[in-house]
Amino acid sequence: MLLATAVTGVVFAASVAVIGTADAASTLGASAAQTGRYFGAAIAAGKLGDATYTGILNREFNAVTPENEMKWDATEPSQGRFTYTNGDRILNQGISMGAKIRGHALLWHQQQPSWAQGLSGSALRSAALNHVTQVATHYRGKIYAWDVVNEAFADGGSGARRDSNLQRTGNDWIEAAFRAARAADPGAKLCYNDYNTDGVNAKSTGVYNMVKDFKSRGVPIDCVGFQSHLGTSIPGDYQSNLQRFADLGVEVQITELDVAQGGNQATIYAAVTRACMAVSRCGGITVWGIRDSDSWRTGENPLLFDASGNKKAAYTSVLNALNAGGPTNPTTPPPTTPVTSPPTSNPPSGACAASVSLNSWSGGYVATVRVTAGSAGVNGWTVSLPLPSGSALTSTWNATNTGTTGTVTFHNVSYNGQIAAGGYTEFGFQGTGAGPTATPGCAAG
């Protein structure tokens, strides 16, 4: 199958546990919102001038996701040169609808710009984390959730990671990407997304084990996306697979739903919808496109509207399943790290200042350090921070470090050494034991 990917944003409305016939909503988004869920569509900026397309979009959906407009090749076509024109069009479309937007996708082994394909090792690692930081910062506060990493596990029975240029930068690259995304946009939910994980199998279990490990170590992951590109059947353990992930404490989302047309298309769509409604932590469903003619699955007619924009039997089956109700989806915001306030005033010209915030648990912590420039800006910085006795640094992102115990020194990397006057950058690290309580020192240059 093609490796098309997406995920979608969310609008929440008042919640009820069961929807009676008299209260049934007449559109997908409104019916989903009755239980705190969303029903969204992946959309393309180039189709927003199509009146039929946008008419259905505005009427039926309460969430949108970009098909391609926020991927690496679209947002950073040459290294360090970021372009957001089409991504911003998707964002503005969602805002105009009163919908929320999910960003897709920060890192993926496909659709990398050619310059990134030519990198490897530490150069690729730095470029990838810089990409995460810059794009998430551009959309900071505007995206409901980010698809941080996409399709990083291999098909087949191994349950192992996919071999890719990103994987070859180090097995902790996914963790580093999630931490960089949290630092760049603390308010967005952070998700992992993959395909062929709809039932309990080796691949989904590999993802499950990663998520379980991340949750146990305080790695910031809030949601898991299940693409659900289905044929003429649905795994019998579809709902129980969603539930086992939800039991880890993450939201589950059906991110790219489409079903090959056949005699049971409507039945499968209804079964998927009922499964989401039955799992309280299922945030919602996104279909990958609007009309059959918009689908990447040419000739399979896998969507809810035909090429002319007419509702299909599958549409009615979904609407009925949504209106049947189910457990209310909890609408609590994603966890955020308590932040120590940065300096109340900028440091002097040519100087810098640093502040630290902690997310701690028994036996470990994650620290986020903000480096703020003075009135003249800085070109390079060094931060020193004493760690408590028994504390040891285990990993660092968006900086390099000298030492792992006692007083540790952090230096900027290539992409975040220059900070404009009054501006700031952030880096982070993880450690064992108690987190630092001292004020970090900062030297410019």
Side-chain angles (χ1 to χ4, degrees), residues 37 197-200 226 228 230 234-247 252 254 268 270-282 325-327:
R37 292 174 173 83
T197 55
D198 306 303
V200 177
F226 301 82
S228 299
L230 301 176
I234 179 174
D237 52 8
Y238 188 93
Q239 180 179 321
S240 61
N241 187 47
L242 296 180
Q243 187 64 60
R244 70 166 176 159
F245 278 86
D247 290 342
V252 295
I254 298 163
I268 294 173
V272 170
T273 305
R274 287 194 298 269
C276 177
M277 298 297 285
V279 176
S280 63
R281 281 199 176 104
C282 183

PDB file of all heavy atoms in Angstrom, residues 37 197-200 226 228 230 234-247 252 254 268 270-282 325-327:
ATOM      1  N   ARG A  37     -15.907  14.275  20.790  1.00  0.00           N
ATOM      2  CA  ARG A  37     -14.994  13.778  19.765  1.00  0.00           C
ATOM      3  C   ARG A  37     -15.017  14.692  18.541  1.00  0.00           C
ATOM      4  O   ARG A  37     -15.771  15.650  18.489  1.00  0.00           O
ATOM      5  CB  ARG A  37     -15.375  12.350  19.364  1.00  0.00           C
ATOM      6  CG  ARG A  37     -15.141  11.335  20.487  1.00  0.00           C
ATOM      7  CD  ARG A  37     -15.663   9.960  20.099  1.00  0.00           C
ATOM      8  NE  ARG A  37     -15.301   8.955  21.100  1.00  0.00           N
ATOM      9  CZ  ARG A  37     -15.979   8.737  22.220  1.00  0.00           C
ATOM     10  NH1 ARG A  37     -17.076   9.441  22.483  1.00  0.00           N
ATOM     11  NH2 ARG A  37     -15.579   7.819  23.087  1.00  0.00           N
ATOM     12  N   THR A 197      -1.424  -1.187  11.812  1.00  0.00           N
ATOM     13  CA  THR A 197      -1.383  -1.385  13.269  1.00  0.00           C
ATOM     14  C   THR A 197      -2.811  -1.441  13.828  1.00  0.00           C
ATOM     15  O   THR A 197      -3.016  -1.248  15.023  1.00  0.00           O
ATOM     16  CB  THR A 197      -0.623  -0.229  13.948  1.00  0.00           C
ATOM     17  OG1 THR A 197      -1.214   1.026  13.576  1.00  0.00           O
ATOM     18  CG2 THR A 197       0.844  -0.222  13.554  1.00  0.00           C
ATOM     19  N   ASP A 198      -3.791  -1.705  12.971  1.00  0.00           N
ATOM     20  CA  ASP A 198      -5.187  -1.600  13.372  1.00  0.00           C
ATOM     21  C   ASP A 198      -5.631  -2.735  14.283  1.00  0.00           C
ATOM     22  O   ASP A 198      -6.549  -2.566  15.081  1.00  0.00           O
ATOM     23  CB  ASP A 198      -6.074  -1.525  12.129  1.00  0.00           C
ATOM     24  CG  ASP A 198      -5.637  -0.404  11.194  1.00  0.00           C
ATOM     25  OD1 ASP A 198      -5.586   0.747  11.649  1.00  0.00           O
ATOM     26  OD2 ASP A 198      -5.310  -0.688  10.022  1.00  0.00           O
ATOM     27  N   GLY A 199      -5.009  -3.907  14.149  1.00  0.00           N
ATOM     28  CA  GLY A 199      -5.278  -5.018  15.050  1.00  0.00           C
ATOM     29  C   GLY A 199      -4.059  -5.342  15.878  1.00  0.00           C
ATOM     30  O   GLY A 199      -3.001  -4.723  15.735  1.00  0.00           O
ATOM     31  N   VAL A 200      -4.190  -6.316  16.768  1.00  0.00           N
ATOM     32  CA  VAL A 200      -3.052  -6.759  17.575  1.00  0.00           C
ATOM     33  C   VAL A 200      -2.165  -7.633  16.696  1.00  0.00           C
ATOM     34  O   VAL A 200      -2.548  -8.725  16.277  1.00  0.00           O
ATOM     35  CB  VAL A 200      -3.525  -7.533  18.821  1.00  0.00           C
ATOM     36  CG1 VAL A 200      -2.327  -8.043  19.615  1.00  0.00           C
ATOM     37  CG2 VAL A 200      -4.415  -6.651  19.695  1.00  0.00           C
ATOM     38  N   PHE A 226      -3.902   5.601  14.427  1.00  0.00           N
ATOM     39  CA  PHE A 226      -4.090   4.360  13.684  1.00  0.00           C
ATOM     40  C   PHE A 226      -4.683   4.730  12.324  1.00  0.00           C
ATOM     41  O   PHE A 226      -5.827   5.181  12.236  1.00  0.00           O
ATOM     42  CB  PHE A 226      -5.027   3.425  14.454  1.00  0.00           C
ATOM     43  CG  PHE A 226      -4.510   3.068  15.820  1.00  0.00           C
ATOM     44  CD1 PHE A 226      -4.696   3.934  16.893  1.00  0.00           C
ATOM     45  CD2 PHE A 226      -3.806   1.894  16.026  1.00  0.00           C
ATOM     46  CE1 PHE A 226      -4.195   3.636  18.150  1.00  0.00           C
ATOM     47  CE2 PHE A 226      -3.301   1.580  17.283  1.00  0.00           C
ATOM     48  CZ  PHE A 226      -3.496   2.451  18.351  1.00  0.00           C
ATOM     49  N   SER A 228      -5.730   3.115   9.553  1.00  0.00           N
ATOM     50  CA  SER A 228      -6.955   2.400   9.166  1.00  0.00           C
ATOM     51  C   SER A 228      -7.298   2.566   7.695  1.00  0.00           C
ATOM     52  O   SER A 228      -8.413   2.929   7.328  1.00  0.00           O
ATOM     53  CB  SER A 228      -8.132   2.836  10.049  1.00  0.00           C
ATOM     54  OG  SER A 228      -7.869   2.530  11.401  1.00  0.00           O
ATOM     55  N   LEU A 230      -8.374   0.474   5.154  1.00  0.00           N
ATOM     56  CA  LEU A 230      -8.942  -0.866   5.203  1.00  0.00           C
ATOM     57  C   LEU A 230      -9.420  -1.337   3.841  1.00  0.00           C
ATOM     58  O   LEU A 230      -9.791  -0.534   2.979  1.00  0.00           O
ATOM     59  CB  LEU A 230     -10.098  -0.890   6.210  1.00  0.00           C
ATOM     60  CG  LEU A 230      -9.717  -0.502   7.648  1.00  0.00           C
ATOM     61  CD1 LEU A 230     -10.960  -0.455   8.525  1.00  0.00           C
ATOM     62  CD2 LEU A 230      -8.673  -1.453   8.213  1.00  0.00           C
ATOM     63  N   ILE A 234     -12.350  -5.778   8.558  1.00  0.00           N
ATOM     64  CA  ILE A 234     -11.774  -5.049   9.676  1.00  0.00           C
ATOM     65  C   ILE A 234     -11.264  -6.078  10.674  1.00  0.00           C
ATOM     66  O   ILE A 234     -11.919  -7.107  10.894  1.00  0.00           O
ATOM     67  CB  ILE A 234     -12.819  -4.114  10.339  1.00  0.00           C
ATOM     68  CG1 ILE A 234     -12.222  -3.359  11.527  1.00  0.00           C
ATOM     69  CG2 ILE A 234     -14.068  -4.874  10.751  1.00  0.00           C
ATOM     70  CD1 ILE A 234     -13.172  -2.323  12.125  1.00  0.00           C
ATOM     71  N   PRO A 235     -10.078  -5.887  11.271  1.00  0.00           N
ATOM     72  CA  PRO A 235      -9.595  -6.868  12.242  1.00  0.00           C
ATOM     73  C   PRO A 235     -10.616  -7.100  13.357  1.00  0.00           C
ATOM     74  O   PRO A 235     -11.233  -6.151  13.855  1.00  0.00           O
ATOM     75  CB  PRO A 235      -8.312  -6.226  12.778  1.00  0.00           C
ATOM     76  CG  PRO A 235      -7.859  -5.306  11.691  1.00  0.00           C
ATOM     77  CD  PRO A 235      -9.117  -4.784  11.059  1.00  0.00           C
ATOM     78  N   GLY A 236     -10.781  -8.353  13.751  1.00  0.00           N
ATOM     79  CA  GLY A 236     -11.737  -8.661  14.793  1.00  0.00           C
ATOM     80  C   GLY A 236     -11.375  -8.067  16.137  1.00  0.00           C
ATOM     81  O   GLY A 236     -12.255  -7.881  16.993  1.00  0.00           O
ATOM     82  N   ASP A 237     -10.095  -7.761  16.322  1.00  0.00           N
ATOM     83  CA  ASP A 237      -9.648  -7.187  17.602  1.00  0.00           C
ATOM     84  C   ASP A 237      -9.364  -5.688  17.466  1.00  0.00           C
ATOM     85  O   ASP A 237      -8.582  -5.128  18.237  1.00  0.00           O
ATOM     86  CB  ASP A 237      -8.416  -7.917  18.125  1.00  0.00           C
ATOM     87  CG  ASP A 237      -7.288  -8.024  17.095  1.00  0.00           C
ATOM     88  OD1 ASP A 237      -7.397  -7.407  16.010  1.00  0.00           O
ATOM     89  OD2 ASP A 237      -6.305  -8.733  17.365  1.00  0.00           O
ATOM     90  N   TYR A 238     -10.008  -5.044  16.510  1.00  0.00           N
ATOM     91  CA  TYR A 238      -9.782  -3.609  16.277  1.00  0.00           C
ATOM     92  C   TYR A 238     -10.034  -2.801  17.546  1.00  0.00           C
ATOM     93  O   TYR A 238      -9.190  -2.016  17.977  1.00  0.00           O
ATOM     94  CB  TYR A 238     -10.699  -3.135  15.146  1.00  0.00           C
ATOM     95  CG  TYR A 238     -10.456  -1.725  14.659  1.00  0.00           C
ATOM     96  CD1 TYR A 238      -9.605  -1.471  13.588  1.00  0.00           C
ATOM     97  CD2 TYR A 238     -11.099  -0.646  15.255  1.00  0.00           C
ATOM     98  CE1 TYR A 238      -9.393  -0.180  13.122  1.00  0.00           C
ATOM     99  CE2 TYR A 238     -10.898   0.658  14.802  1.00  0.00           C
ATOM    100  CZ  TYR A 238     -10.043   0.874  13.744  1.00  0.00           C
ATOM    101  OH  TYR A 238      -9.835   2.161  13.294  1.00  0.00           O
ATOM    102  N   GLN A 239     -11.199  -2.980  18.150  1.00  0.00           N
ATOM    103  CA  GLN A 239     -11.534  -2.192  19.345  1.00  0.00           C
ATOM    104  C   GLN A 239     -10.630  -2.535  20.514  1.00  0.00           C
ATOM    105  O   GLN A 239     -10.165  -1.642  21.233  1.00  0.00           O
ATOM    106  CB  GLN A 239     -12.994  -2.421  19.735  1.00  0.00           C
ATOM    107  CG  GLN A 239     -13.422  -1.635  20.967  1.00  0.00           C
ATOM    108  CD  GLN A 239     -14.880  -1.857  21.319  1.00  0.00           C
ATOM    109  OE1 GLN A 239     -15.731  -1.954  20.439  1.00  0.00           O
ATOM    110  NE2 GLN A 239     -15.176  -1.954  22.617  1.00  0.00           N
ATOM    111  N   SER A 240     -10.345  -3.794  20.720  1.00  0.00           N
ATOM    112  CA  SER A 240      -9.495  -4.171  21.856  1.00  0.00           C
ATOM    113  C   SER A 240      -8.068  -3.664  21.663  1.00  0.00           C
ATOM    114  O   SER A 240      -7.371  -3.369  22.650  1.00  0.00           O
ATOM    115  CB  SER A 240      -9.506  -5.689  22.062  1.00  0.00           C
ATOM    116  OG  SER A 240      -9.008  -6.375  20.918  1.00  0.00           O
ATOM    117  N   ASN A 241      -7.629  -3.535  20.409  1.00  0.00           N
ATOM    118  CA  ASN A 241      -6.309  -2.963  20.163  1.00  0.00           C
ATOM    119  C   ASN A 241      -6.293  -1.479  20.532  1.00  0.00           C
ATOM    120  O   ASN A 241      -5.351  -1.004  21.186  1.00  0.00           O
ATOM    121  CB  ASN A 241      -5.933  -3.146  18.700  1.00  0.00           C
ATOM    122  CG  ASN A 241      -4.501  -2.717  18.403  1.00  0.00           C
ATOM    123  OD1 ASN A 241      -3.574  -3.075  19.115  1.00  0.00           O
ATOM    124  ND2 ASN A 241      -4.328  -1.947  17.344  1.00  0.00           N
ATOM    125  N   LEU A 242      -7.333  -0.742  20.129  1.00  0.00           N
ATOM    126  CA  LEU A 242      -7.426   0.658  20.554  1.00  0.00           C
ATOM    127  C   LEU A 242      -7.418   0.758  22.074  1.00  0.00           C
ATOM    128  O   LEU A 242      -6.750   1.624  22.654  1.00  0.00           O
ATOM    129  CB  LEU A 242      -8.702   1.294  20.004  1.00  0.00           C
ATOM    130  CG  LEU A 242      -8.870   1.435  18.492  1.00  0.00           C
ATOM    131  CD1 LEU A 242     -10.220   2.093  18.188  1.00  0.00           C
ATOM    132  CD2 LEU A 242      -7.742   2.234  17.867  1.00  0.00           C
ATOM    133  N   GLN A 243      -8.170  -0.130  22.713  1.00  0.00           N
ATOM    134  CA  GLN A 243      -8.310  -0.059  24.172  1.00  0.00           C
ATOM    135  C   GLN A 243      -6.984  -0.320  24.881  1.00  0.00           C
ATOM    136  O   GLN A 243      -6.679   0.323  25.896  1.00  0.00           O
ATOM    137  CB  GLN A 243      -9.360  -1.061  24.645  1.00  0.00           C
ATOM    138  CG  GLN A 243      -9.704  -0.948  26.122  1.00  0.00           C
ATOM    139  CD  GLN A 243     -10.346   0.376  26.459  1.00  0.00           C
ATOM    140  OE1 GLN A 243     -11.396   0.720  25.925  1.00  0.00           O
ATOM    141  NE2 GLN A 243      -9.711   1.154  27.338  1.00  0.00           N
ATOM    142  N   ARG A 244      -6.170  -1.254  24.377  1.00  0.00           N
ATOM    143  CA  ARG A 244      -4.915  -1.542  25.090  1.00  0.00           C
ATOM    144  C   ARG A 244      -3.972  -0.351  25.035  1.00  0.00           C
ATOM    145  O   ARG A 244      -3.242  -0.091  25.991  1.00  0.00           O
ATOM    146  CB  ARG A 244      -4.261  -2.809  24.556  1.00  0.00           C
ATOM    147  CG  ARG A 244      -3.665  -2.734  23.149  1.00  0.00           C
ATOM    148  CD  ARG A 244      -2.761  -3.922  22.886  1.00  0.00           C
ATOM    149  NE  ARG A 244      -2.247  -3.933  21.517  1.00  0.00           N
ATOM    150  CZ  ARG A 244      -1.155  -4.596  21.150  1.00  0.00           C
ATOM    151  NH1 ARG A 244      -0.451  -5.294  22.030  1.00  0.00           N
ATOM    152  NH2 ARG A 244      -0.754  -4.557  19.893  1.00  0.00           N
ATOM    153  N   PHE A 245      -3.996   0.390  23.939  1.00  0.00           N
ATOM    154  CA  PHE A 245      -3.195   1.610  23.893  1.00  0.00           C
ATOM    155  C   PHE A 245      -3.777   2.664  24.826  1.00  0.00           C
ATOM    156  O   PHE A 245      -3.042   3.338  25.549  1.00  0.00           O
ATOM    157  CB  PHE A 245      -3.116   2.149  22.465  1.00  0.00           C
ATOM    158  CG  PHE A 245      -2.085   1.487  21.614  1.00  0.00           C
ATOM    159  CD1 PHE A 245      -2.370   0.320  20.923  1.00  0.00           C
ATOM    160  CD2 PHE A 245      -0.801   2.019  21.503  1.00  0.00           C
ATOM    161  CE1 PHE A 245      -1.408  -0.303  20.128  1.00  0.00           C
ATOM    162  CE2 PHE A 245       0.174   1.410  20.721  1.00  0.00           C
ATOM    163  CZ  PHE A 245      -0.135   0.239  20.028  1.00  0.00           C
ATOM    164  N   ALA A 246      -5.093   2.822  24.806  1.00  0.00           N
ATOM    165  CA  ALA A 246      -5.731   3.799  25.685  1.00  0.00           C
ATOM    166  C   ALA A 246      -5.419   3.496  27.148  1.00  0.00           C
ATOM    167  O   ALA A 246      -5.261   4.418  27.961  1.00  0.00           O
ATOM    168  CB  ALA A 246      -7.247   3.794  25.451  1.00  0.00           C
ATOM    169  N   ASP A 247      -5.297   2.230  27.478  1.00  0.00           N
ATOM    170  CA  ASP A 247      -5.007   1.846  28.861  1.00  0.00           C
ATOM    171  C   ASP A 247      -3.604   2.262  29.300  1.00  0.00           C
ATOM    172  O   ASP A 247      -3.306   2.276  30.496  1.00  0.00           O
ATOM    173  CB  ASP A 247      -5.180   0.334  29.036  1.00  0.00           C
ATOM    174  CG  ASP A 247      -6.639  -0.103  28.964  1.00  0.00           C
ATOM    175  OD1 ASP A 247      -7.524   0.757  29.116  1.00  0.00           O
ATOM    176  OD2 ASP A 247      -6.889  -1.306  28.744  1.00  0.00           O
ATOM    177  N   VAL A 252      -6.177   7.718  21.719  1.00  0.00           N
ATOM    178  CA  VAL A 252      -6.071   7.010  20.447  1.00  0.00           C
ATOM    179  C   VAL A 252      -6.943   7.731  19.428  1.00  0.00           C
ATOM    180  O   VAL A 252      -7.999   8.269  19.764  1.00  0.00           O
ATOM    181  CB  VAL A 252      -6.478   5.526  20.580  1.00  0.00           C
ATOM    182  CG1 VAL A 252      -5.494   4.805  21.480  1.00  0.00           C
ATOM    183  CG2 VAL A 252      -7.901   5.371  21.115  1.00  0.00           C
ATOM    184  N   ILE A 254      -8.195   7.640  15.133  1.00  0.00           N
ATOM    185  CA  ILE A 254      -8.238   6.981  13.827  1.00  0.00           C
ATOM    186  C   ILE A 254      -7.956   8.076  12.812  1.00  0.00           C
ATOM    187  O   ILE A 254      -8.750   8.992  12.644  1.00  0.00           O
ATOM    188  CB  ILE A 254      -9.596   6.302  13.614  1.00  0.00           C
ATOM    189  CG1 ILE A 254      -9.783   5.233  14.691  1.00  0.00           C
ATOM    190  CG2 ILE A 254      -9.676   5.692  12.219  1.00  0.00           C
ATOM    191  CD1 ILE A 254     -11.197   4.765  14.861  1.00  0.00           C
ATOM    192  N   ILE A 268     -18.269  -1.744   7.431  1.00  0.00           N
ATOM    193  CA  ILE A 268     -16.932  -1.548   8.009  1.00  0.00           C
ATOM    194  C   ILE A 268     -16.795  -0.145   8.572  1.00  0.00           C
ATOM    195  O   ILE A 268     -16.276   0.049   9.679  1.00  0.00           O
ATOM    196  CB  ILE A 268     -15.854  -1.842   6.956  1.00  0.00           C
ATOM    197  CG1 ILE A 268     -15.871  -3.324   6.576  1.00  0.00           C
ATOM    198  CG2 ILE A 268     -14.473  -1.448   7.478  1.00  0.00           C
ATOM    199  CD1 ILE A 268     -14.961  -3.680   5.433  1.00  0.00           C
ATOM    200  N   ALA A 270     -19.134   1.682   9.768  1.00  0.00           N
ATOM    201  CA  ALA A 270     -19.896   1.725  11.012  1.00  0.00           C
ATOM    202  C   ALA A 270     -19.156   1.021  12.142  1.00  0.00           C
ATOM    203  O   ALA A 270     -19.150   1.502  13.288  1.00  0.00           O
ATOM    204  CB  ALA A 270     -21.275   1.086  10.798  1.00  0.00           C
ATOM    205  N   ALA A 271     -18.507  -0.101  11.840  1.00  0.00           N
ATOM    206  CA  ALA A 271     -17.779  -0.844  12.874  1.00  0.00           C
ATOM    207  C   ALA A 271     -16.611  -0.037  13.417  1.00  0.00           C
ATOM    208  O   ALA A 271     -16.358  -0.018  14.632  1.00  0.00           O
ATOM    209  CB  ALA A 271     -17.294  -2.176  12.299  1.00  0.00           C
ATOM    210  N   VAL A 272     -15.890   0.644  12.537  1.00  0.00           N
ATOM    211  CA  VAL A 272     -14.792   1.498  12.984  1.00  0.00           C
ATOM    212  C   VAL A 272     -15.319   2.610  13.882  1.00  0.00           C
ATOM    213  O   VAL A 272     -14.759   2.902  14.949  1.00  0.00           O
ATOM    214  CB  VAL A 272     -14.048   2.094  11.774  1.00  0.00           C
ATOM    215  CG1 VAL A 272     -13.059   3.169  12.227  1.00  0.00           C
ATOM    216  CG2 VAL A 272     -13.320   1.004  10.999  1.00  0.00           C
ATOM    217  N   THR A 273     -16.411   3.235  13.468  1.00  0.00           N
ATOM    218  CA  THR A 273     -16.975   4.338  14.246  1.00  0.00           C
ATOM    219  C   THR A 273     -17.443   3.856  15.606  1.00  0.00           C
ATOM    220  O   THR A 273     -17.189   4.502  16.636  1.00  0.00           O
ATOM    221  CB  THR A 273     -18.138   4.976  13.478  1.00  0.00           C
ATOM    222  OG1 THR A 273     -17.685   5.360  12.176  1.00  0.00           O
ATOM    223  CG2 THR A 273     -18.663   6.203  14.203  1.00  0.00           C
ATOM    224  N   ARG A 274     -18.106   2.720  15.651  1.00  0.00           N
ATOM    225  CA  ARG A 274     -18.568   2.184  16.939  1.00  0.00           C
ATOM    226  C   ARG A 274     -17.396   1.843  17.854  1.00  0.00           C
ATOM    227  O   ARG A 274     -17.466   2.038  19.080  1.00  0.00           O
ATOM    228  CB  ARG A 274     -19.443   0.951  16.716  1.00  0.00           C
ATOM    229  CG  ARG A 274     -20.826   1.264  16.161  1.00  0.00           C
ATOM    230  CD  ARG A 274     -21.753   0.051  16.298  1.00  0.00           C
ATOM    231  NE  ARG A 274     -21.264  -1.084  15.530  1.00  0.00           N
ATOM    232  CZ  ARG A 274     -21.609  -1.337  14.269  1.00  0.00           C
ATOM    233  NH1 ARG A 274     -22.451  -0.515  13.632  1.00  0.00           N
ATOM    234  NH2 ARG A 274     -21.143  -2.403  13.651  1.00  0.00           N
ATOM    235  N   ALA A 275     -16.318   1.340  17.274  1.00  0.00           N
ATOM    236  CA  ALA A 275     -15.146   1.015  18.089  1.00  0.00           C
ATOM    237  C   ALA A 275     -14.577   2.267  18.746  1.00  0.00           C
ATOM    238  O   ALA A 275     -14.236   2.261  19.932  1.00  0.00           O
ATOM    239  CB  ALA A 275     -14.088   0.331  17.230  1.00  0.00           C
ATOM    240  N   CYS A 276     -14.479   3.343  17.973  1.00  0.00           N
ATOM    241  CA  CYS A 276     -13.985   4.601  18.551  1.00  0.00           C
ATOM    242  C   CYS A 276     -14.931   5.090  19.637  1.00  0.00           C
ATOM    243  O   CYS A 276     -14.496   5.513  20.707  1.00  0.00           O
ATOM    244  CB  CYS A 276     -13.836   5.652  17.455  1.00  0.00           C
ATOM    245  SG  CYS A 276     -13.311   7.275  18.063  1.00  0.00           S
ATOM    246  N   MET A 277     -16.233   5.021  19.389  1.00  0.00           N
ATOM    247  CA  MET A 277     -17.200   5.497  20.370  1.00  0.00           C
ATOM    248  C   MET A 277     -17.168   4.676  21.651  1.00  0.00           C
ATOM    249  O   MET A 277     -17.499   5.164  22.729  1.00  0.00           O
ATOM    250  CB  MET A 277     -18.610   5.468  19.758  1.00  0.00           C
ATOM    251  CG  MET A 277     -18.786   6.372  18.551  1.00  0.00           C
ATOM    252  SD  MET A 277     -18.569   8.121  18.913  1.00  0.00           S
ATOM    253  CE  MET A 277     -20.113   8.456  19.753  1.00  0.00           C
ATOM    254  N   ALA A 278     -16.757   3.412  21.543  1.00  0.00           N
ATOM    255  CA  ALA A 278     -16.739   2.542  22.717  1.00  0.00           C
ATOM    256  C   ALA A 278     -15.520   2.744  23.596  1.00  0.00           C
ATOM    257  O   ALA A 278     -15.506   2.319  24.759  1.00  0.00           O
ATOM    258  CB  ALA A 278     -16.814   1.080  22.271  1.00  0.00           C
ATOM    259  N   VAL A 279     -14.475   3.351  23.051  1.00  0.00           N
ATOM    260  CA  VAL A 279     -13.230   3.580  23.806  1.00  0.00           C
ATOM    261  C   VAL A 279     -13.223   5.036  24.256  1.00  0.00           C
ATOM    262  O   VAL A 279     -13.141   5.945  23.422  1.00  0.00           O
ATOM    263  CB  VAL A 279     -12.000   3.258  22.936  1.00  0.00           C
ATOM    264  CG1 VAL A 279     -10.711   3.578  23.687  1.00  0.00           C
ATOM    265  CG2 VAL A 279     -12.023   1.788  22.513  1.00  0.00           C
ATOM    266  N   SER A 280     -13.297   5.255  25.537  1.00  0.00           N
ATOM    267  CA  SER A 280     -13.472   6.634  26.022  1.00  0.00           C
ATOM    268  C   SER A 280     -12.323   7.540  25.635  1.00  0.00           C
ATOM    269  O   SER A 280     -12.512   8.743  25.465  1.00  0.00           O
ATOM    270  CB  SER A 280     -13.657   6.642  27.540  1.00  0.00           C
ATOM    271  OG  SER A 280     -12.508   6.152  28.200  1.00  0.00           O
ATOM    272  N   ARG A 281     -11.121   6.984  25.480  1.00  0.00           N
ATOM    273  CA  ARG A 281      -9.975   7.809  25.112  1.00  0.00           C
ATOM    274  C   ARG A 281      -9.775   7.898  23.606  1.00  0.00           C
ATOM    275  O   ARG A 281      -8.736   8.364  23.146  1.00  0.00           O
ATOM    276  CB  ARG A 281      -8.694   7.287  25.760  1.00  0.00           C
ATOM    277  CG  ARG A 281      -8.530   7.685  27.225  1.00  0.00           C
ATOM    278  CD  ARG A 281      -7.066   7.550  27.649  1.00  0.00           C
ATOM    279  NE  ARG A 281      -6.855   8.015  29.006  1.00  0.00           N
ATOM    280  CZ  ARG A 281      -6.683   7.238  30.067  1.00  0.00           C
ATOM    281  NH1 ARG A 281      -6.717   5.918  29.911  1.00  0.00           N
ATOM    282  NH2 ARG A 281      -6.484   7.738  31.263  1.00  0.00           N
ATOM    283  N   CYS A 282     -10.749   7.468  22.813  1.00  0.00           N
ATOM    284  CA  CYS A 282     -10.656   7.673  21.362  1.00  0.00           C
ATOM    285  C   CYS A 282     -11.101   9.093  21.062  1.00  0.00           C
ATOM    286  O   CYS A 282     -12.278   9.441  21.237  1.00  0.00           O
ATOM    287  CB  CYS A 282     -11.508   6.663  20.603  1.00  0.00           C
ATOM    288  SG  CYS A 282     -11.363   6.826  18.807  1.00  0.00           S
ATOM    289  N   GLY A 325     -24.227   7.431  20.144  1.00  0.00           N
ATOM    290  CA  GLY A 325     -23.564   7.832  21.383  1.00  0.00           C
ATOM    291  C   GLY A 325     -22.550   6.815  21.862  1.00  0.00           C
ATOM    292  O   GLY A 325     -22.287   5.794  21.237  1.00  0.00           O
ATOM    293  N   GLY A 326     -22.023   7.085  23.041  1.00  0.00           N
ATOM    294  CA  GLY A 326     -21.003   6.245  23.639  1.00  0.00           C
ATOM    295  C   GLY A 326     -20.362   6.988  24.776  1.00  0.00           C
ATOM    296  O   GLY A 326     -20.754   8.117  25.097  1.00  0.00           O
ATOM    297  N   PRO A 327     -19.368   6.395  25.416  1.00  0.00           N
ATOM    298  CA  PRO A 327     -18.684   7.081  26.518  1.00  0.00           C
ATOM    299  C   PRO A 327     -18.120   8.417  26.060  1.00  0.00           C
ATOM    300  O   PRO A 327     -17.601   8.550  24.955  1.00  0.00           O
ATOM    301  CB  PRO A 327     -17.566   6.112  26.897  1.00  0.00           C
ATOM    302  CG  PRO A 327     -18.006   4.786  26.385  1.00  0.00           C
ATOM    303  CD  PRO A 327     -18.801   5.070  25.156  1.00  0.00           C
TER     304      PRO A 327
END
